[in-house]
């Protein structure tokens, strides 16, 4: 299979690695940066005609913040900048999608506008023609096809995916409507660094088979008066990782699944951007009993 054909039509000058060729990744990426090319020194090579992300700042000194006495930081806060004020390294994000990617678009836009201290440096999808992949190609974000299947023999294996993400220097993985189970290899490579958004108040209406309108139909049929999005850490099972954040949405008496889905989606976009901003500012902390919390930006002594 010619590598040029897999993503032709939606990502200019882009290809996905082929198992029968040299597995080169190539994606044109517009930016104000003047770099002519960027190479990953491995069997995977990614060429960029222009740089599409900002380089991480150098660490000068490392310190740790605590939220009261019962939590510990997920990642270190960077300090020692020239103005002596604490500063946080700009994070590099990988987003996984299977469909239209509306949450992905919200996160990417927040990064571009400066509301999130990070950059989406790669998109991973199991559907090369989905809306999220089309958007990524239009914005110059490299697109990777995963997982390898009988229908997609040129996609990456789990080990190959981990290697590619490491070479993109990814800090966090954000699942945004990605319908495949995350492989254990990726979970082990990124402990406490993979997140998912689910359109119900977990642990209710979660697990294998609960996605999209199926979730909202089940919520309405149950008679539940409230629903809403949940953001949680990803483990080796569907929707069972530690809950990080939730947003409550009322279920109205005459709601259709589509109406409830639309109301929940509005809150999904807001919540995922808020949580991503907290991640990129190193404001995720852990209580002594293993419950993750978000540290308030205005008052670091408060967590929620």
């Amino acid at each position: 299979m010619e590598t040029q054909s897999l993503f032709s039509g939606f990502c200019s000058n882009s290809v996905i690695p082929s198992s029968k060729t040299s597995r080169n990744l190539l994606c044109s990426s517009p930016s104000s940066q003047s770099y002519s090319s960027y190479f990953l020194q491995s069997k995977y090579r990614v060429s960029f005609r222009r740089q599409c992300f900002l380089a991480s700042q150098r660490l000068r000194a490392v310190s740790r913040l605590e939220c009261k006495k019962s939590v510990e930081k997920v990642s270190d806060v960077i300090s020692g900048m020239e103005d002596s004020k604490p500063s946080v390294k700009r994070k590099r994000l990988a987003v996984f999608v299977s469909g239209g990617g509306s949450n992905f678009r919200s996160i990417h836009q927040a990064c571009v506008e400066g509301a999130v201290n990070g950059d989406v440096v790669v998109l991973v999808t199991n559907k090369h023609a989905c809306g999220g992949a089309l958007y990524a190609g239009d914005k110059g974000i490299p697109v990777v096809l995963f997982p390898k299947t009988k229908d997609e023999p040129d996609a990456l294996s789990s080990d190959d995916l981990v290697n590619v993400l490491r070479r993109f220097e990814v800090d966090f993985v954000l699942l945004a409507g990605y319908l495949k189970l995350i492989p254990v290899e990726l979970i082990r490579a990124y402990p406490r660094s993979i997140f998912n958004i689910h359109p119900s108040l977990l642990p209710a209406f979660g697990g294998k088979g609960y996605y999209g309108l199926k979730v909202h139909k089940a919520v309405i049929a149950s008679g539940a008066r409230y629903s809403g999005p949940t953001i949680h850490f990803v483990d080796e099972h569907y929707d069972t990782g530690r809950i990080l954040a939730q947003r409550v949405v009322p279920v109205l008496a005459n709601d259709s699944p589509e109406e409830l889905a639309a109301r929940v989606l509005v809150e999904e976009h807001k919540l995922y951007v808020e949580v991503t901003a907290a991640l990129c500012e190193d404001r995720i902390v852990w209580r002594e009993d293993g419950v993750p919390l978000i540290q308030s930006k205005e008052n670091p002594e408060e967590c929620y």
Side-chain angles (χ1 to χ4, degrees), residues 1-202:
M1 177 179 182
E2 292 296 327
T3 55
Q4 290 88 343
S5 66
L6 189 56
F7 276 95
S8 60
F10 78 90
C11 186
S12 174
N13 298 319
S14 310
V15 297
I16 274 311
S18 170
S19 59
K20 300 176 184 178
T21 66
S22 60
R23 291 180 178 269
N24 288 340
L25 288 172
L26 170 65
C27 188
S28 168
S29 303
S31 170
S32 60
Q33 302 294 330
S34 60
Y35 295 92
S36 60
S37 63
Y38 174 75
F39 293 95
L40 299 181
Q41 301 300 325
S42 71
K43 64 178 181 178
Y44 299 97
R45 186 179 69 185
V46 181
S47 298
F48 294 84
R49 293 187 177 178
R50 301 182 188 92
Q51 191 81 336
C52 65
F53 47 78
L54 299 177
S56 299
Q57 296 176 339
R58 293 286 184 182
L59 306 187
R60 294 287 300 277
V62 178
S63 62
R64 290 183 180 272
L65 296 179
E66 294 185 355
C67 178
K68 298 184 179 178
K69 296 181 179 179
S70 60
V71 294
E72 60 181 356
K73 293 300 293 179
V74 170
S75 54
D76 293 330
V77 175
I78 315 306
S79 63
M81 306 303 290
E82 283 71 15
D83 60 1
S84 74
K85 295 181 180 179
S87 180
V88 179
K89 176 178 76 80
R90 194 168 180 87
K91 300 301 190 294
R92 300 167 66 82
L93 310 173
V95 182
F96 286 44
V97 304
S98 292
S102 64
N103 275 302
F104 158 49
R105 298 176 194 218
S106 295
I107 292 168
H108 174 257
Q109 190 62 33
C111 292
V112 171
E113 293 174 353
V116 171
N117 184 40
D119 299 287
V120 179
V121 298
V122 62
L123 181 88
V124 178
T125 182
N126 63 307
K127 296 182 179 181
H128 64 267
C130 70
L134 294 173
Y135 176 86
D138 182 61
K139 299 300 181 180
I141 299 171
V143 175
V144 173
L145 190 61
F146 173 83
K148 181 190 292 289
T149 64
K150 181 174 64 175
D151 296 330
E152 298 286 3
D154 294 307
L156 296 180
S157 68
S158 297
D159 289 336
D160 290 342
L161 178 63
V162 171
N163 288 334
V164 167
L165 295 184
R166 282 174 172 166
R167 285 162 177 77
F168 273 105
E169 299 180 357
V170 167
D171 295 298
F172 295 115
V173 173
L174 307 177
L175 310 186
Y178 185 71
L179 302 181
K180 295 292 185 180
L181 190 65
I182 298 302
V184 65
E185 292 88 350
L186 185 59
I187 293 170
R188 291 173 179 171
Y190 287 89
R192 289 185 172 182
S193 299
I194 307 176
F195 304 83
N196 181 49
I197 190 163
H198 183 77
S200 75
L201 296 174
L202 293 176

Side-chain angles (χ1 to χ4, degrees), residues 226-300:
Y226 297 96
S227 188
T230 298
I231 295 177
H232 63 95
F233 286 83
V234 174
D235 58 19
E236 298 175 18
H237 308 284
Y238 286 106
D239 305 326
T240 59
R242 284 288 193 174
I243 292 171
L244 178 59
Q246 292 180 313
R247 188 67 54 81
V248 175
V249 173
V251 180
L252 305 183
N254 297 315
D255 261 342
S256 68
E258 291 79 8
E259 289 170 334
L260 179 57
R263 196 177 309 115
V264 171
L265 187 61
V266 170
E267 298 304 320
E268 285 185 39
H269 294 166
K270 297 176 183 177
L271 186 62
Y272 220 168
V273 168
E274 290 175 14
V275 170
T276 303
L279 287 173
C280 293
E281 293 169 4
D282 292 332
R283 292 190 287 112
I284 307 303
V285 297
W286 293 82
R287 213 165 60 189
E288 288 180 345
D289 59 358
V291 172
L293 302 170
I294 299 176
Q295 192 177 54
S296 170
K297 186 173 184 178
E298 292 74 22
N299 184 3

